[in-house]
Amino acid sequence: MTFKTYLVEDNAVIRDNLVGFLEDIADAQIVAHATGEAEAVEWLGSHRDSWDVAIVDLFLQQGNGLGVVNACRKRNAHQKVVVLSNYATPDMRARSKALGADAFFDKSAEIDLLLDYCEKLNHRSS
C-alpha cells in the first residue's frame, strides 16, 4: 500500500533523487514538498490528514528543520516524522528526538536505512 510522503528539502538535486528512491523502492507517493520552514509548517498544518510520513532536512533555505519537527508534535498517531540530514551529530539526533522526530538518518551514510524504515512503514500500513 502506498504511503503519502511530504518532503522538506531545499536542494533540488537531493529532493529529486529522494523522490525517485522513495517512489521506486519504498512505494511512497510524494504529495508535496517545501524548501523552507514556514512553507512546510503552513502546508503540514493545513493538510493534517494528507500525509503519512514527513521527511525533513535540518538546514533549509529559510528557518530550519527543527522548527518543522516541533510543529508536527500534534500529528495523528500513524504519522511519522523523519529527519534526514548531513549534520548527524549525537546532539542533533537527540534534539530531533526530543522535539518529536520518530527517526533520524544521516543523508550521506544512511539512505539505505531510510529506505528500509520506509519499507517497514509501508508493510505495517498494508
Side-chain angles (χ1 to χ4, degrees):
M1 183 171 159
T2 302
F3 61 95
K4 296 176 274 189
T5 304
Y6 184 70
L7 290 178
V8 185
E9 171 62 63
D10 62 345
N11 183 304
V13 173
I14 292 172
R15 186 176 57 245
D16 290 346
N17 286 333
L18 276 174
V19 167
F21 287 136
L22 292 167
E23 289 179 344
D24 293 345
I25 297 171
D27 199 26
Q29 173 193 3
I30 308 305
V31 293
H33 72 271
T35 59
E37 178 182 349
E39 178 186 11
V41 169
E42 191 281 324
W43 191 93
L44 289 163
S46 62
H47 296 86
R48 291 195 181 276
D49 296 322
S50 299
W51 60 279
D52 301 309
V53 178
I55 299 176
V56 182
D57 187 13
L58 291 178
F59 294 103
L60 303 169
Q61 281 182 356
Q62 173 276 323
N64 66 67
L66 292 175
V68 177
V69 172
N70 189 49
C72 292
R73 282 184 179 270
K74 294 181 181 174
R75 64 188 176 271
N76 295 318
H78 78 279
Q79 293 173 314
K80 303 298 180 192
V81 176
V82 176
V83 174
L84 180 65
S85 178
N86 283 323
Y87 199 64
T89 66
D91 181 56
M92 278 298 124
R93 290 177 187 270
R95 287 177 67 187
S96 297
K97 294 272 187 165
L99 289 172
D102 296 291
F104 189 115
F105 299 101
D106 184 331
K107 196 183 288 183
S108 61
E110 298 177 336
I111 293 292
D112 289 344
L113 295 176
L114 169 66
L115 294 173
D116 289 346
Y117 180 86
C118 290
E119 286 185 86
K120 287 176 186 164
L121 289 178
N122 193 18
H123 291 326
R124 279 190 214 140
S125 67
S126 51

